[in-house]
Amino acid sequence: METAEVQMVPRHGVIELAFGEPDLGLLPVDLVRRCADRALSSAGPLALAYGASPGAGSVRLTVRDHLASLEQREPDLDEVVVTAGISAGLDLLLTLLLEPDDVVFIEEPTYSLGLRVLRDHRARLQPVPMDHDGMAVDRLADLAHEVRAQGLRPRLVYTVPTFHNPTGLSLSLGRRRRLLEIAAEEELLVVEDDAYRELWFDRPSPPSLWSLDHAGVVVRLGSTSKTIAPGLRTGWLTAPAAVAARYADAGVLDSGGAMSHFSALVAGRFLAAEEYGTHVAGLRREYGRRRDVLVRALTEALPPGCGMVRPGGGFFVRVTLPQGLEASALLAPALTAGVSFVPGARGQVEGGDEALRLGFTYYEPPALAEGASRLGAAIRAALAAS
Amino acid sequence: METAEVQMVPRHGVIELAFGEPDLGLLPVDLVRRCADRALSSAGPLALAYGASPGAGSVRLTVRDHLASLEQREPDLDEVVVTAGISAGLDLLLTLLLEPDDVVFIEEPTYSLGLRVLRDHRARLQPVPMDHDGMAVDRLADLAHEVRAQGLRPRLVYTVPTFHNPTGLSLSLGRRRRLLEIAAEEELLVVEDDAYRELWFDRPSPPSLWSLDHAGVVVRLGSTSKTIAPGLRTGWLTAPAAVAARYADAGVLDSGGAMSHFSALVAGRFLAAEEYGTHVAGLRREYGRRRDVLVRALTEALPPGCGMVRPGGGFFVRVTLPQGLEASALLAPALTAGVSFVPGARGQVEGGDEALRLGFTYYEPPALAEGASRLGAAIRAALAAS
């Protein structure tokens, strides 16, 4: 097993465009230190006891106010639970909600590691195709009928509707509304992975599915991993009160208390700090600039036949390869050329080898441009050899 | 939903002997503050990035050295994974290892909230009786055969062999060895909840099942919740390298990184600090004194027909009630008298109403003595009324 401190350690000589992680240099170490100090000073031993199962009351209030500042809809306090980040939230939801004959609908492609969480839970997966407006939601309705005809239960939709991982696309507003109608008709619960809401570059993010939901069919998972720091493992869930209560009533929270009690107090103080708005505005500006640099460099470096859509926010851009070239086969020569990516097949149940995912947040502009150039050269070489 | 900061808030006028939590006054706030500060100073942004899936290398090294100082057996680094505490460790193990037809053996009684985690995973539970030497392990062998005859798979044993929750008993050394033999014969994986190892009062804890295991059948879950602070949500797992690797390879850790990255760096510094030994020796002394106070007060206060075994460590003492008196029925009058307990039935699949669990760590001696007195009066009143 690896013995590094952190998950992502760049290999020597490789520009790791596979990474989906904030730039280490942009992690707000000093402000986190002050927030940790203040949390311990003001809460004292209550910062170190078993946290309340739904999360500390003060953190839930902060999250509620924070979400109200982002969108038109303010959650009730009973609709807010603190989580140990989106992955842990998804994991616990699957434990609590998923029965053996239940089917989970996912976008194709979807977030590759979300797929791994789903597979660990032995979820029956049914992909739904995407186009440039996001998930083809009318196909979802057909697929739900087909699933039911097989004697299985359509249960969950796992979706990243805003600055989708890996495509960077957002679900259109019309489709958002239609998805909610379908979910209500088909008795589906929609798990909305809303990791990138605050990281829009051109115009504010579209409204969350949760904020549009009048039928009580959406569980929205949000996170401080992209805006404050992944290592604090703090996020939130907004859901109908009954779902939120079921989550907070999990045995693992009754036994262990809130999953990130101390860290969540730190993250809560950060969210409520005067500096928060400036900090996130800075991230938007910087990551937006990096998106521009990577997209521009790819436009120059990629040979004809490659495709790409400029994302309006988030962490990623997806590149489709010229006919006949497979991302899985390209990975080794790309690494030799000094650049990595996530092959598209990792985020799909089947297929996906025609595409790859690049992240633009971890590196500064010169490395991004160099990475794009190396990738372009690797693709050209592969085409020449084929 | 509750809006408190922490899980356990005493009700007005009630001495909450139901609580299984460290005394808030003994939580080492200042040393945690220094450790948090040092973690951020020395690791900088690496303290806030996605942590390595098995836990930060430095924390795993610290845990390895710590465990080597407690027992005869030193784990290899590949056998150590950092967890977000025992509950989270158990939860993830169940997700990864439990298939629908698998049976989990538990002590009867067992840890009531561990039972809730198991139920959330829809585990098929098979209780194994206990006596004063702990689990009746020979019955386990018979039960495993019976389970197999039903077409199910005997898969896991969840056990608290050292200062068992709720009884305070420890599994005898002979039975520890026999349990390991049975596990090897029956292809069972033993999940050892080792929460109380460092909190012995009279003589050092018996060796863990893990330290005696030559067949690779034990996953031991340990924690800093009882020795440092529950709110840090940091524990560890020691297991055969293949099991440890499967755990560390979970999708939820690949996606979210280590479940408690920042907190674990803080807890790791605390474990490695010069002050750690003195701190835990102080807890042993203080909690041992409180055990003495509660046991003595119960001996005076309880009417004939009650039973109790003085625990050698841990957090709890279990009281059995006189014939005909049920703990569930006693709870309301006890609360009226100003004392709480955990009814025995909560920790059992069936039965258990003849007993109740009391914790002696949360309160100082005068409250413990008063709680025992109130409980004794409530029992006497219930007997008189029956």
Side-chain angles (χ1 to χ4, degrees):
Chain A
M1 253 182 309
E2 49 171 332
T3 55
E5 291 296 275
V6 295
Q7 192 177 56
M8 299 182 200
V9 181
R11 286 163 284 194
H12 181 72
V14 178
I15 296 173
E16 301 276 15
L17 298 186
F19 286 9
E21 160 142 8
D23 185 343
L24 295 180
L26 298 175
L27 293 174
V29 177
D30 287 333
L31 188 49
V32 167
R33 186 205 311 272
R34 290 206 296 282
C35 290
D37 198 63
R38 280 181 220 155
L40 284 163
S41 298
S42 73
L46 296 183
L48 298 178
Y50 287 100
S53 300
S58 66
V59 179
R60 288 168 61 217
L61 281 166
T62 297
V63 166
R64 186 196 60 178
D65 294 349
H66 176 64
L67 295 176
S69 79
L70 295 179
E71 296 197 271
Q72 296 298 316
R73 178 177 172 189
E74 172 173 321
D76 291 337
L77 205 52
D78 276 356
E79 296 172 325
V80 176
V81 177
V82 179
T83 69
I86 291 177
S87 311
L90 175 62
D91 180 68
L92 187 49
L93 282 173
L94 293 174
T95 297
L96 299 176
L97 300 179
L98 207 62
E99 309 262 357
D101 282 340
D102 288 350
V103 171
V104 180
F105 298 90
I106 53 173
E107 287 141 348
E108 180 119 294
T110 188
Y111 168 43
S112 62
L113 304 181
L115 200 52
R116 292 203 57 206
V117 178
L118 286 158
R119 283 180 170 142
D120 280 348
H121 284 270
R122 300 165 184 79
R124 294 172 185 263
L125 301 172
Q126 175 58 58
V128 185
M130 291 181 73
D131 60 26
H132 283 192
D133 283 332
M135 186 196 292
V137 294
D138 284 323
R139 276 297 291 150
L140 171 64
D142 301 338
L143 289 165
H145 295 165
E146 288 172 24
V147 158
R148 203 165 268 124
Q150 292 165 39
L152 302 172
R153 183 171 71 146
R155 180 66 172 122
L156 297 178
V157 182
Y158 170 72
T159 175
V160 190
T162 303
F163 310 131
H164 175 257
N165 179 353
T167 65
L169 298 167
S170 291
L171 190 66
S172 68
L173 187 59
R175 285 198 188 170
R176 283 176 194 249
R177 297 193 197 281
R178 182 74 189 113
L179 173 56
L180 297 176
E181 285 170 12
I182 293 166
E185 285 161 15
E186 303 292 339
E187 296 179 2
L188 287 161
L189 196 64
V190 178
V191 178
E192 177 181 28
D193 180 337
D194 203 23
Y196 305 104
R197 167 150 307 280
E198 295 173 61
L199 294 177
W200 49 268
F201 307 139
D202 305 318
R203 63 192 64 83
S205 297
S208 66
L209 295 171
W210 177 80
S211 75
L212 300 171
D213 175 26
H214 303 294
V217 295
V218 177
V219 178
R220 182 257 301 274
L221 297 170
S223 177
T224 63
S225 289
K226 308 297 190 277
T227 47
I228 304 178
L232 293 180
R233 306 307 320 131
T234 298
W236 51 77
L237 168 159
T238 57
V243 177
R246 176 64 193 101
Y247 186 97
D249 191 45
V252 69
L253 302 181
D254 197 5
S255 177
M259 290 281 274
S260 296
H261 179 60
F262 171 61
S263 288
L265 292 173
V266 178
R269 291 210 157 241
F270 196 112
L271 273 180
E274 215 181 329
E275 297 92 331
Y276 181 80
T278 321
H279 170 70
V280 175
L283 294 181
R284 277 198 286 269
R285 206 163 42 239
E286 181 59 27
Y287 290 153
R289 190 166 73 100
R290 294 185 187 189
R291 183 246 352 228
D292 291 340
V293 168
L294 182 64
V295 167
R296 197 177 312 122
L298 288 169
T299 306
E300 284 170 21
L302 295 178
C306 288
M308 171 178 57
V309 177
R310 183 172 183 265
F315 270 33
F316 304 112
V317 62
R318 184 163 175 260
V319 170
T320 52
L321 294 171
Q323 190 93 32
L325 196 55
E326 298 188 333
S328 55
L330 183 67
L331 188 55
L335 286 171
T336 305
V339 65
S340 73
F341 55 79
V342 177
R346 290 213 194 134
Q348 302 202 183
V349 172
E350 278 183 67
D353 217 9
E354 76 287 1
L356 53 86
R357 189 195 80 177
L358 305 173
F360 50 76
T361 59
Y362 189 77
Y363 288 99
E364 296 191 36
L368 293 172
E370 174 62 22
S373 161
R374 290 178 188 178
L375 179 66
I379 293 174
R380 285 171 198 276
L383 287 173
S386 70
Chain B
M1 254 182 309
E2 50 172 331
T3 54
E5 291 297 274
V6 295
Q7 193 176 57
M8 297 181 201
V9 181
R11 285 163 285 193
H12 180 72
V14 178
I15 296 173
E16 302 275 16
L17 298 186
F19 286 9
E21 160 139 7
D23 184 345
L24 296 180
L26 298 175
L27 293 176
V29 177
D30 287 335
L31 188 49
V32 168
R33 187 204 312 272
R34 289 206 297 282
C35 290
D37 197 63
R38 279 181 221 153
L40 284 163
S41 298
S42 74
L46 295 183
L48 298 179
Y50 286 100
S53 299
S58 67
V59 179
R60 288 168 61 216
L61 281 166
T62 297
V63 166
R64 187 196 62 180
D65 293 350
H66 176 65
L67 294 175
S69 79
L70 295 178
E71 296 198 90
Q72 297 298 316
R73 178 177 172 191
E74 171 173 321
D76 292 338
L77 205 52
D78 277 353
E79 297 171 327
V80 176
V81 177
V82 178
T83 70
I86 291 177
S87 311
L90 175 62
D91 180 68
L92 187 49
L93 283 173
L94 293 174
T95 296
L96 299 176
L97 300 179
L98 207 62
E99 308 261 358
D101 282 340
D102 288 351
V103 171
V104 180
F105 298 91
I106 53 173
E107 287 141 348
E108 180 118 295
T110 189
Y111 168 43
S112 61
L113 305 183
L115 200 51
R116 291 202 59 205
V117 178
L118 287 158
R119 284 181 169 141
D120 280 347
H121 284 269
R122 300 166 184 77
R124 294 172 185 263
L125 301 171
Q126 175 57 60
V128 185
M130 291 181 71
D131 60 23
H132 283 191
D133 282 333
M135 187 197 293
V137 295
D138 283 324
R139 277 296 291 149
L140 171 65
D142 300 339
L143 289 166
H145 295 166
E146 288 172 25
V147 158
R148 203 166 269 122
Q150 291 164 39
L152 302 171
R153 182 170 72 146
R155 179 63 172 124
L156 296 177
V157 182
Y158 169 71
T159 176
V160 190
T162 303
F163 311 130
H164 175 256
N165 179 354
T167 66
L169 299 167
S170 289
L171 190 67
S172 69
L173 188 59
R175 286 199 188 168
R176 283 175 195 251
R177 296 193 199 282
R178 182 72 189 114
L179 173 55
L180 297 176
E181 285 170 15
I182 292 166
E185 285 161 18
E186 303 293 339
E187 296 179 3
L188 287 160
L189 196 64
V190 178
V191 179
E192 177 180 29
D193 180 338
D194 203 23
Y196 306 104
R197 166 149 309 280
E198 294 172 62
L199 294 177
W200 50 268
F201 308 140
D202 306 319
R203 62 192 66 81
S205 297
S208 66
L209 295 170
W210 176 80
S211 75
L212 300 170
D213 175 26
H214 303 296
V217 295
V218 177
V219 178
R220 182 257 302 274
L221 297 170
S223 178
T224 63
S225 290
K226 307 299 190 276
T227 47
I228 303 177
L232 293 180
R233 306 307 319 131
T234 298
W236 51 78
L237 169 159
T238 57
V243 177
R246 176 65 192 96
Y247 186 98
D249 191 44
V252 69
L253 301 181
D254 197 4
S255 176
M259 289 281 274
S260 295
H261 179 60
F262 172 61
S263 288
L265 292 172
V266 177
R269 293 213 156 238
F270 196 112
L271 273 180
E274 216 181 326
E275 297 92 332
Y276 181 80
T278 320
H279 170 70
V280 174
L283 294 180
R284 277 198 286 271
R285 207 162 43 238
E286 180 59 27
Y287 290 151
R289 191 165 75 97
R290 295 184 184 189
R291 177 227 25 206
D292 292 341
V293 168
L294 182 64
V295 167
R296 196 178 313 121
L298 288 169
T299 306
E300 285 169 20
L302 296 178
C306 288
M308 172 178 58
V309 177
R310 183 173 183 265
F315 269 33
F316 304 111
V317 61
R318 184 165 176 260
V319 170
T320 53
L321 294 170
Q323 189 92 32
L325 195 56
E326 297 188 332
S328 55
L330 184 65
L331 188 55
L335 286 171
T336 305
V339 65
S340 74
F341 55 78
V342 177
R346 289 213 196 135
Q348 302 204 181
V349 172
E350 276 183 67
D353 217 10
E354 75 287 0
L356 53 85
R357 189 195 80 175
L358 305 173
F360 50 75
T361 58
Y362 188 77
Y363 288 99
E364 295 192 35
L368 294 172
E370 175 62 22
S373 164
R374 291 178 186 179
L375 179 66
I379 294 175
R380 284 171 199 275
L383 287 172
S386 71

